[in-house]
Short mmCIF file of all heavy atoms in Angstrom, two decimals:
data_model
loop_
_atom_site.label_atom_id
_atom_site.label_comp_id
_atom_site.label_asym_id
_atom_site.label_seq_id
_atom_site.Cartn_x
_atom_site.Cartn_y
_atom_site.Cartn_z
N LEU A 4 -67.03 19.84 24.61
CA LEU A 4 -66.34 20.10 25.78
C LEU A 4 -65.65 21.42 25.78
O LEU A 4 -65.68 22.11 24.74
CB LEU A 4 -65.29 18.95 26.05
CG LEU A 4 -65.74 17.47 26.16
CD1 LEU A 4 -64.53 16.61 26.13
CD2 LEU A 4 -66.53 17.33 27.46
N THR A 5 -65.03 21.76 26.86
CA THR A 5 -64.16 22.98 26.79
C THR A 5 -62.73 22.69 26.43
O THR A 5 -62.31 21.49 26.70
CB THR A 5 -64.18 23.76 28.21
OG1 THR A 5 -63.59 22.88 29.18
CG2 THR A 5 -65.66 24.07 28.67
N THR A 6 -62.00 23.60 26.01
CA THR A 6 -60.60 23.33 25.67
C THR A 6 -59.87 22.93 26.94
O THR A 6 -58.98 22.05 26.85
CB THR A 6 -60.02 24.67 25.03
OG1 THR A 6 -60.70 24.99 23.96
CG2 THR A 6 -58.54 24.39 24.63
N GLU A 7 -60.14 23.56 28.08
CA GLU A 7 -59.45 23.25 29.29
C GLU A 7 -59.75 21.82 29.64
O GLU A 7 -58.88 21.07 30.14
CB GLU A 7 -59.94 24.22 30.49
CG GLU A 7 -59.50 25.60 30.23
CD GLU A 7 -60.34 26.38 29.11
OE1 GLU A 7 -61.45 25.76 28.72
OE2 GLU A 7 -59.89 27.46 28.68
N THR A 8 -60.96 21.35 29.54
CA THR A 8 -61.16 19.96 29.82
C THR A 8 -60.48 18.99 29.06
O THR A 8 -59.81 18.04 29.43
CB THR A 8 -62.72 19.70 29.75
OG1 THR A 8 -63.45 20.58 30.71
CG2 THR A 8 -63.12 18.14 30.05
N VAL A 9 -60.41 19.25 27.74
CA VAL A 9 -59.56 18.39 26.83
C VAL A 9 -58.16 18.36 27.26
O VAL A 9 -57.49 17.32 27.28
CB VAL A 9 -59.84 18.82 25.27
CG1 VAL A 9 -58.87 18.07 24.46
CG2 VAL A 9 -61.29 18.63 24.88
N SER A 10 -57.67 19.57 27.50
CA SER A 10 -56.16 19.57 27.92
C SER A 10 -55.97 18.73 29.24
O SER A 10 -54.91 18.18 29.43
CB SER A 10 -55.85 21.10 28.12
OG SER A 10 -55.84 21.78 26.92
N ARG A 11 -56.87 18.92 30.14
CA ARG A 11 -56.72 18.15 31.50
C ARG A 11 -56.74 16.61 31.06
O ARG A 11 -55.97 15.87 31.79
CB ARG A 11 -57.94 18.50 32.45
CG ARG A 11 -57.64 19.82 33.10
CD ARG A 11 -58.52 19.95 34.38
NE ARG A 11 -60.03 19.91 34.03
CZ ARG A 11 -60.77 20.95 33.77
NH1 ARG A 11 -60.18 22.15 33.66
NH2 ARG A 11 -62.01 20.79 33.44
N VAL A 12 -57.53 16.21 30.22
CA VAL A 12 -57.66 14.73 29.97
C VAL A 12 -56.35 14.33 29.29
O VAL A 12 -55.79 13.34 29.61
CB VAL A 12 -58.90 14.43 29.11
CG1 VAL A 12 -58.87 13.00 28.52
CG2 VAL A 12 -60.20 14.64 29.76
N PHE A 13 -55.77 15.09 28.27
CA PHE A 13 -54.55 14.81 27.70
C PHE A 13 -53.42 14.74 28.81
O PHE A 13 -52.67 13.73 28.77
CB PHE A 13 -54.21 15.88 26.63
CG PHE A 13 -54.69 15.58 25.32
CD1 PHE A 13 -55.89 15.84 24.88
CD2 PHE A 13 -53.83 15.21 24.37
CE1 PHE A 13 -56.31 15.61 23.60
CE2 PHE A 13 -54.08 14.85 23.07
CZ PHE A 13 -55.46 15.15 22.66
N SER A 14 -53.45 15.58 29.73
CA SER A 14 -52.43 15.66 30.75
C SER A 14 -52.61 14.42 31.63
O SER A 14 -51.63 13.76 32.08
CB SER A 14 -52.47 16.91 31.54
OG SER A 14 -52.22 18.11 30.68
N SER A 15 -53.74 14.08 31.98
CA SER A 15 -54.03 12.90 32.83
C SER A 15 -53.51 11.67 32.22
O SER A 15 -52.95 10.81 32.83
CB SER A 15 -55.53 12.86 33.15
OG SER A 15 -55.80 11.64 33.89
N LEU A 16 -53.95 11.54 30.87
CA LEU A 16 -53.43 10.24 30.09
C LEU A 16 -52.01 10.21 30.09
O LEU A 16 -51.37 9.09 30.09
CB LEU A 16 -54.14 10.30 28.79
CG LEU A 16 -55.63 10.23 28.73
CD1 LEU A 16 -56.06 10.40 27.28
CD2 LEU A 16 -56.11 8.83 29.23
N ALA A 17 -51.37 11.40 29.80
CA ALA A 17 -49.92 11.37 29.73
C ALA A 17 -49.28 11.03 31.15
O ALA A 17 -48.28 10.18 31.12
CB ALA A 17 -49.41 12.84 29.32
N ARG A 18 -49.81 11.51 32.26
CA ARG A 18 -49.32 11.19 33.54
C ARG A 18 -49.37 9.68 33.80
O ARG A 18 -48.50 9.12 34.51
CB ARG A 18 -50.08 11.95 34.61
CG ARG A 18 -49.74 13.39 34.74
CD ARG A 18 -50.16 13.99 36.08
NE ARG A 18 -51.64 13.81 36.28
CZ ARG A 18 -52.37 14.69 35.77
NH1 ARG A 18 -52.10 15.72 35.22
NH2 ARG A 18 -53.76 14.49 35.99
N GLU A 19 -50.45 9.08 33.35
CA GLU A 19 -50.66 7.71 33.53
C GLU A 19 -49.94 6.76 32.52
O GLU A 19 -49.97 5.64 32.53
CB GLU A 19 -52.14 7.30 33.43
CG GLU A 19 -53.02 7.97 34.54
CD GLU A 19 -54.51 7.82 34.24
OE1 GLU A 19 -54.95 6.81 33.76
OE2 GLU A 19 -55.15 8.76 34.47
N LYS A 20 -49.09 7.49 31.73
CA LYS A 20 -48.26 6.86 30.70
C LYS A 20 -49.07 5.98 29.63
O LYS A 20 -48.51 4.92 29.21
CB LYS A 20 -47.12 6.03 31.39
CG LYS A 20 -46.21 6.79 32.24
CD LYS A 20 -45.11 6.00 32.80
CE LYS A 20 -44.23 6.81 33.78
NZ LYS A 20 -43.72 8.08 33.18
N LEU A 21 -50.29 6.42 29.51
CA LEU A 21 -51.04 5.72 28.45
C LEU A 21 -50.82 6.38 27.02
O LEU A 21 -50.96 5.74 25.98
CB LEU A 21 -52.55 5.87 28.80
CG LEU A 21 -52.90 5.11 30.00
CD1 LEU A 21 -54.35 5.50 30.46
CD2 LEU A 21 -52.84 3.58 29.85
N ILE A 22 -50.47 7.66 27.05
CA ILE A 22 -50.10 8.37 25.79
C ILE A 22 -48.93 9.32 26.07
O ILE A 22 -48.63 9.58 27.23
CB ILE A 22 -51.28 9.19 25.16
CG1 ILE A 22 -51.63 10.42 26.16
CG2 ILE A 22 -52.50 8.35 24.98
CD1 ILE A 22 -52.56 11.38 25.57
N SER A 23 -48.36 9.70 25.00
CA SER A 23 -47.38 10.94 25.19
C SER A 23 -47.71 11.74 23.87
O SER A 23 -48.00 11.27 22.93
CB SER A 23 -45.94 10.50 25.20
OG SER A 23 -45.60 9.63 24.17
N VAL A 24 -47.51 13.03 24.10
CA VAL A 24 -47.70 14.03 23.13
C VAL A 24 -46.47 14.61 22.59
O VAL A 24 -45.57 15.10 23.32
CB VAL A 24 -48.64 15.18 23.61
CG1 VAL A 24 -48.92 16.21 22.41
CG2 VAL A 24 -49.91 14.69 24.11
N GLY A 25 -46.17 14.48 21.20
CA GLY A 25 -44.95 14.93 20.56
C GLY A 25 -45.10 16.28 19.88
O GLY A 25 -46.07 16.94 20.07
N VAL A 26 -44.11 16.55 19.11
CA VAL A 26 -44.15 17.69 18.23
C VAL A 26 -45.22 17.60 17.14
O VAL A 26 -45.59 16.50 16.94
CB VAL A 26 -42.76 18.00 17.56
CG1 VAL A 26 -41.77 18.25 18.70
CG2 VAL A 26 -42.39 16.82 16.72
N SER A 27 -45.71 18.76 16.71
CA SER A 27 -46.66 18.77 15.59
C SER A 27 -47.97 18.04 15.92
O SER A 27 -48.67 17.35 15.17
CB SER A 27 -46.11 18.26 14.31
OG SER A 27 -44.99 18.98 13.97
N ARG A 28 -48.38 18.11 17.27
CA ARG A 28 -49.60 17.44 17.73
C ARG A 28 -49.62 15.99 17.63
O ARG A 28 -50.73 15.27 17.43
CB ARG A 28 -50.82 18.16 17.12
CG ARG A 28 -50.92 19.65 17.35
CD ARG A 28 -52.29 20.12 16.99
NE ARG A 28 -52.28 21.56 17.01
CZ ARG A 28 -52.59 22.39 15.86
NH1 ARG A 28 -52.68 21.70 14.75
NH2 ARG A 28 -52.53 23.57 15.92
N SER A 29 -48.45 15.32 17.57
CA SER A 29 -48.45 13.81 17.37
C SER A 29 -48.75 13.30 18.72
O SER A 29 -48.38 13.79 19.82
CB SER A 29 -47.14 13.39 16.89
OG SER A 29 -46.16 13.76 17.77
N VAL A 30 -49.56 12.11 18.79
CA VAL A 30 -49.97 11.47 19.95
C VAL A 30 -49.42 10.07 19.84
O VAL A 30 -49.79 9.32 18.92
CB VAL A 30 -51.48 11.48 20.24
CG1 VAL A 30 -51.84 10.74 21.38
CG2 VAL A 30 -52.01 12.90 20.39
N HIS A 31 -48.64 9.63 20.77
CA HIS A 31 -48.22 8.27 20.80
C HIS A 31 -48.91 7.43 21.83
O HIS A 31 -49.07 7.87 23.00
CB HIS A 31 -46.75 8.20 21.24
CG HIS A 31 -45.74 8.90 20.28
ND1 HIS A 31 -45.10 8.33 19.28
CD2 HIS A 31 -45.50 10.33 20.12
CE1 HIS A 31 -44.46 9.31 18.56
NE2 HIS A 31 -44.71 10.41 19.14
N PHE A 32 -49.41 6.28 21.47
CA PHE A 32 -50.31 5.40 22.27
C PHE A 32 -49.38 4.32 22.80
O PHE A 32 -48.66 3.62 22.17
CB PHE A 32 -51.32 4.70 21.36
CG PHE A 32 -52.32 5.58 20.79
CD1 PHE A 32 -52.07 5.97 19.40
CD2 PHE A 32 -53.45 6.11 21.34
CE1 PHE A 32 -52.98 6.82 18.81
CE2 PHE A 32 -54.39 6.88 20.86
CZ PHE A 32 -54.12 7.30 19.51
N HIS A 33 -49.33 4.24 24.14
CA HIS A 33 -48.48 3.29 24.87
C HIS A 33 -49.25 1.94 25.35
O HIS A 33 -48.60 0.99 25.64
CB HIS A 33 -47.83 3.95 26.01
CG HIS A 33 -46.96 5.06 25.67
ND1 HIS A 33 -45.95 5.02 24.73
CD2 HIS A 33 -46.97 6.36 25.92
CE1 HIS A 33 -45.39 6.25 24.57
NE2 HIS A 33 -46.00 7.08 25.37
N ASN A 34 -50.60 2.01 25.42
CA ASN A 34 -51.29 0.91 25.90
C ASN A 34 -52.64 0.93 25.14
O ASN A 34 -53.65 1.50 25.85
CB ASN A 34 -51.48 0.99 27.38
CG ASN A 34 -52.14 -0.32 27.92
OD1 ASN A 34 -52.72 -1.03 27.23
ND2 ASN A 34 -51.74 -0.53 29.14
#
């Protein structure tokens, strides 16, 4: 994929509150 596509998916998942991204590239799973 492109970096932009990956960033859009991360942002979409975060908006849907499925994940949140913390410091040091940590990813928190909510569902």
Side-chain angles (χ1 to χ4, degrees):
L4 302 170
T5 65
T6 305
E7 292 74 15
T8 298
V9 170
S10 294
R11 282 198 297 270
V12 173
F13 268 78
S14 297
S15 174
L16 295 172
R18 284 196 304 272
E19 296 169 38
K20 300 189 184 304
L21 293 170
I22 68 169
S23 57
V24 181
V26 297
S27 300
R28 304 195 189 108
S29 62
V30 176
H31 298 261
F32 300 95
H33 300 302
N34 191 335

